[in-house]
Amino acid sequence: MNFRLVLLGFGNVAQGLAKILIEKRAQLRRDFDFEYEIVGVADIVKGSVMNKAGGLDLARLLSLASEKKTLGDYPGGTKGLSSIETIIESDANALVEATWTNLKDGEPGLTHIRTALNEGLHVVTTNKGPIALAYHELAALAHQRRRHLRFEGTVLSGTPAISLATEALAGAKVSSIRGILNGTTNYILGEMEDGRTFDEALKRAQELGYAEAEPSGDVEAWDPAAKITILANVLMGGKVKLAEVRREGISGTTAGDVREARLTGRRIKLVAKAYEENEQIKAQVVPERLAETDLLSHVSGVLNALVLSTDVQPDVTIIGPGAGGDSAGYALLSDLLALNRALTTVKGSAKSRYYRPAYAGGILRDIF
Ligand SMILES: NC(=O)c1ccc[n+]([C@@H]2O[C@H](COP(=O)([O-])OP(=O)(O)OC[C@H]3O[C@@H](n4cnc5c(N)ncnc54)[C@H](OP(=O)(O)O)[C@@H]3O)[C@@H](O)[C@H]2O)c1
């Protein structure tokens, strides 16, 4: 099918997707009948450009970004529309939402997603804010508007987490979840094992670009708390609120704590968990002293890991990159391909030479 895409936010992740879309255009067409054109891009700092008749040249958009020019420098197209105007006026059929994560009120991503669904667009996003804060509302809106909302990249970036459970493990009931969902803190804890203090390890993480100048989202565990909220609500049917997640970061963890744990054959890891207690789904993120027999204790550096316990498969573990523009860009592509399968697969007539799993959340074949 032909996707007419609007990109909101043209930072690392959207540019990661853009590179993959350019590199893989022929492969996507050949193997998946996946065609695309970019009909609009809007970004707070870089400006906006829309061309609903002929589409935009992605390579040109990427060069403008790398030359630090604005989208206003794109030759042709309609300039200066806001994000909302771009959604409404571009005649797009899908929104790629990759603006910055805001865990206080989810904005501006929340309004972007609501508007797009109301306007009849499917939505793929890597933005944790709207999904952590308003998953049930957005899922209900998508259902009501008969549109798809996918957000693979919100957890574990391009390493499958949501689709691992909902598609690869379709039919299995997730009974509990454990994971290392934040690479920055995992890196810092590893550096502390190598003898650095918390401050030295944080500084190194900042120099390497793993940690923000304002690091509280990571070290105070807001980021993994948002991710475990998403997993608890999406995979376990929870009604978990981010503000109520038991959350303890690693800023209180000292080099002495890390050394002492090593002396007893243990490792301190920031572990996110979702579990059922008194018929309620609960979530927490807390540093734990893990025994060496625990697979999570061996996940090092900026890697992320997720262990899903289900009724039919005791523990399924996936380990992989949990951040990076290219990785999260790939997550967006995997969501677009899933959307393509869901919208084009007709029973018994799948054209792809590859296996196409069924869409695990609904049947939408009659939209375009
Ligand atoms: N990078 C990763 O490793 C990763 C992995 C998984 C998920 N994510 C999520 O993916 C999203 C994008 O991340 P990123 O790394 O690409 O961030 P980024 O490089 O900071 O890009 C975000 C872009 O969105 C723009 N933006 C903010 N508000 C906007 C609005 N109202 N309308 C249009 N554009 C707006 C930002 O402009 P400004 O320059 O003005 O801020 C920026 O250009 C975030 O929500 C992030 O949490 C990132």
Side-chain angles (χ1 to χ4, degrees), residues 96-361:
V96 176
E97 216 291 342
T99 63
W100 53 280
T101 284
N102 164 357
L103 295 180
K104 291 201 172 78
D105 62 11
E107 296 297 354
L110 187 52
T111 299
H112 292 162
I113 295 174
R114 282 190 190 123
T115 306
L117 292 171
N118 276 320
E119 290 292 319
L121 281 71
H122 303 287
V123 176
V124 300
T125 185
T126 52
N127 188 340
K128 291 171 279 280
I131 309 300
L133 297 173
Y135 165 68
H136 290 295
E137 177 216 311
L138 293 174
L141 178 60
H143 184 74
Q144 185 205 339
R145 308 297 299 181
R146 307 189 72 228
R147 291 297 178 268
H148 290 256
L149 167 65
R150 298 188 65 104
F151 41 85
E152 183 62 62
T154 56
V155 183
L156 261 61
S157 203
T159 303
I162 312 281
S163 62
L164 175 67
T166 57
E167 288 163 29
L169 292 170
K173 182 177 185 295
V174 177
S175 48
S176 68
I177 299 170
R178 291 173 75 231
I180 294 177
L181 306 183
N182 181 271
T184 307
T185 44
N186 204 49
Y187 173 83
I188 291 173
L189 290 170
E191 289 291 296
M192 289 168 77
E193 278 187 6
D194 290 344
R196 293 191 172 79
T197 63
F198 173 81
D199 288 338
E200 287 166 352
L202 171 60
K203 189 160 174 278
R204 207 172 156 89
Q206 286 167 326
E207 282 162 5
L208 290 168
Y210 298 150
E212 305 278 333
E214 204 296 278
S216 61
D218 293 320
V219 299
E220 300 305 340
W222 283 106
D223 172 79
K227 291 167 176 167
I228 197 69
T229 301
I230 294 172
L231 293 175
N233 290 343
V234 176
L235 305 187
M236 297 179 72
K239 296 275 185 292
V240 174
K241 291 195 167 53
L242 174 59
E244 290 165 9
V245 171
R246 185 180 155 215
R247 180 184 52 78
E248 188 187 323
I250 61 162
S251 57
T253 303
T254 64
D257 296 334
V258 172
R259 249 192 330 270
E260 185 198 301
R262 288 305 291 138
L263 288 173
T264 54
R266 289 176 178 263
R267 284 207 160 96
I268 299 185
K269 294 285 179 189
L270 185 60
V271 179
K273 275 186 192 163
Y275 54 95
E276 196 173 330
E277 191 178 81
N278 302 327
E279 296 183 5
Q280 266 198 330
I281 305 300
K282 300 268 177 70
Q284 67 172 50
V285 189
V286 174
E288 289 186 15
R289 287 169 162 72
L290 302 183
E292 288 199 354
T293 48
D294 189 326
L295 196 54
L296 290 185
S297 79
H298 299 282
V299 175
S300 58
V302 289
L303 281 178
N304 281 200
L306 184 68
V307 186
L308 298 174
S309 302
T310 75
D311 55 349
V312 285
Q313 290 273 75
D315 276 349
V316 177
T317 303
I318 191 159
I319 300 175
D326 291 351
S327 173
Y330 169 69
L332 289 169
L333 176 69
S334 75
D335 276 342
L336 288 170
L337 287 174
L339 204 50
N340 188 47
R341 283 195 297 272
L343 296 170
T344 58
T345 303
V346 177
K347 263 187 197 154
S349 74
K351 273 179 75 183
S352 170
R353 57 201 172 96
Y354 292 108
Y355 168 65
R356 297 182 183 210
Y359 174 60

